[in-house]
Amino acid sequence: MSTHARPLAEWLSAASDEQLASLFAARRVRPDAGWQDFFDAAEALLDPGSLARILPSLTRDEATALVAAAAAADTAVETTPQRETLKSLALLRPDGTPFPPVIAALADRAAPAPLDVSPPPAADEADTAHAAERAFTTVAALADLLLLAREKPFALLAGGTVSAGEKRLLGESGVAAESVDALIAIAVESGLVAPDGRRLRTTARAEEWLRSSVADRWSTLVTGFRDALPRGVRTDHEGWLPPTTWSQAHPWDPAWPERGEALLERARLLGLITDDGSEPAWAASLRQGGSIDSAPLTDLLPSEVDRIFLQNDLSAISPGPLAPALDVRLRTIAARESAAQASTYRFTPESIAHALVAGESEDSIIEFLESLSLTGIPQPLRYLITQTTQRHGLVRVSTDSETGRTRIESSDPHLIEAMAVDQGLRPLALAKHVAALSTRVGRDTVYWALTDARYPATLVAEDGSAITGERNPVIEAASETAVDYAPLIAALRSHQGPDADAAWLDRELEAAVRAKAVLRVSVGMPDGSTRELILEATGLGGGRLRGRDRAADVERTLPVSSIRAATVIAQ
């Protein structure tokens, strides 16, 4: 290995810091790798384990180019973009020939089979309409998912996926359980949700997305999907290869078939491909690297409406898809009962109380519904809003400035008595204090516990003013930060110098002795001349190399300081 690694070590030492950082990132090198010099780095990069990790990440074209280079053995080959990539990954020498350990690593890997990269056929009118309908359904389902996550972040398993229990609850809420993983993947790619520990939470971008038009919503999702596509399916002009080729995008990655199928499913859900593999008009331009144009898709969708019918039975009917911004706000006031082109909503004391907790007031609710309704506000609904608003705030939760404890007060003594004996509130350890209740539990925790128990609670600041509680604040999607390889590169650079050749020679000799290799040794003589010997290396120590001279059939001991070069002879 040492002899094979020397050319790579020399290339590494001559590379720029940017090239090294890019290489180490691509090869997933730990920034705290215990390498002393570029010789260590070269040997580690050519280690079979390291090669086994990088080869599955190669695209089909890169894998094909690497197999071709290996077949050409020591013959230099012409430069191609794929071979340049392989050089930057330290799989090919600067002359385009592969390192021997790389050839050995390819022994059990077959060359990728040729693929038909013809563009997919254009979808007919019926399939195009079906793809548009599916994209519309996906956008609506993702909006439902985000609204649920905003209220209660999803629990994540150790692998980062949503648990089966969460999927079942989502299914009960109207989100198709079999599509949850794909929908969440689309949302993550678009920056609408992000993991926060073991929870999946909505981001600030999700709030903006929820209030955007269907066209803007779809464009955001497609942009996120396109930008997150793996190298193997992307093209140089920011498009993607025909979906029929995606299954072979990374031919040496055993996990790729499953990932490829998941990508195809997301493309199908977004209306970029049809069930039979044909392509809608809006997807063709995207595949070719064009800009996103949602008009051909939205032209096939039902028109959005901005008015609803309010009924005497405390329900509301939307005669068509309600504009997203209006739908999101209405669903903070009423529970949606059915989702279709004509959706149904229902007002309840709990839904009105939920709106008040979210920051609405009686006046803001009335004003919003009056602007939205085609039929005015029925008297039963107006009465429900007034009654719920009057009851809201009967329980006031604050922090006692003297004791620091949480204080619960109410003008209704019956509510105080009810909370004091409520078994569901036992974890709060409520204690009576004059005409109120007191606990060591934090104010916000107490407030949300009372709200969940359906008590008309409100948070109160020190000055007595009501404040809006925010149970699950949005987070910012963490940007992917580059690993800092500067300390590692600096450490490697510090060992460059006049002693580097001597250190490398020691390594070559140690490796030769361990392998009992035959060496061609160039020895510097006292008169300044150089003599070549063929030695079978047998030992190294005390600054001397021992070996059997095959030509003279004698044992020789040579000072390492006199050895100018040593090359392993293939046997």
Side-chain angles (χ1 to χ4, degrees), residues 156-173:
L156 296 176
L157 300 174
T161 57
V162 175
S163 67
E166 289 277 19
K167 291 179 182 179
R168 185 174 60 254
L169 293 176
L170 289 171
E172 294 172 356
S173 301

Side-chain angles (χ1 to χ4, degrees), residues 10 16 23 28 41 183 185 188 213 229 377 385 493 514:
E10 292 173 348
S16 66
L23 167 62
R28 288 173 284 181
L183 291 174
V188 170
S213 66
L229 284 174
I377 302 180
I385 295 170
R493 297 274 191 222
R514 287 196 302 269

Side-chain angles (χ1 to χ4, degrees), residues 492-552:
L492 297 177
R493 297 274 191 222
S494 68
H495 288 83
Q496 285 181 279
D499 296 332
D501 285 341
W504 184 252
L505 179 60
D506 285 341
R507 288 170 176 265
E508 289 182 308
L509 296 179
E510 289 173 1
V513 170
R514 287 196 302 269
K516 294 184 171 29
V518 177
L519 296 173
R520 176 179 285 107
V521 181
S522 297
V523 183
M525 306 303 289
D527 60 2
S529 63
T530 301
R531 180 181 176 186
E532 283 195 351
L533 300 173
I534 305 298
L535 296 181
E536 182 179 340
T538 58
L540 182 68
R544 293 178 177 275
L545 172 68
R546 297 185 301 277
R548 186 170 66 88
D549 185 336
R550 284 195 165 184

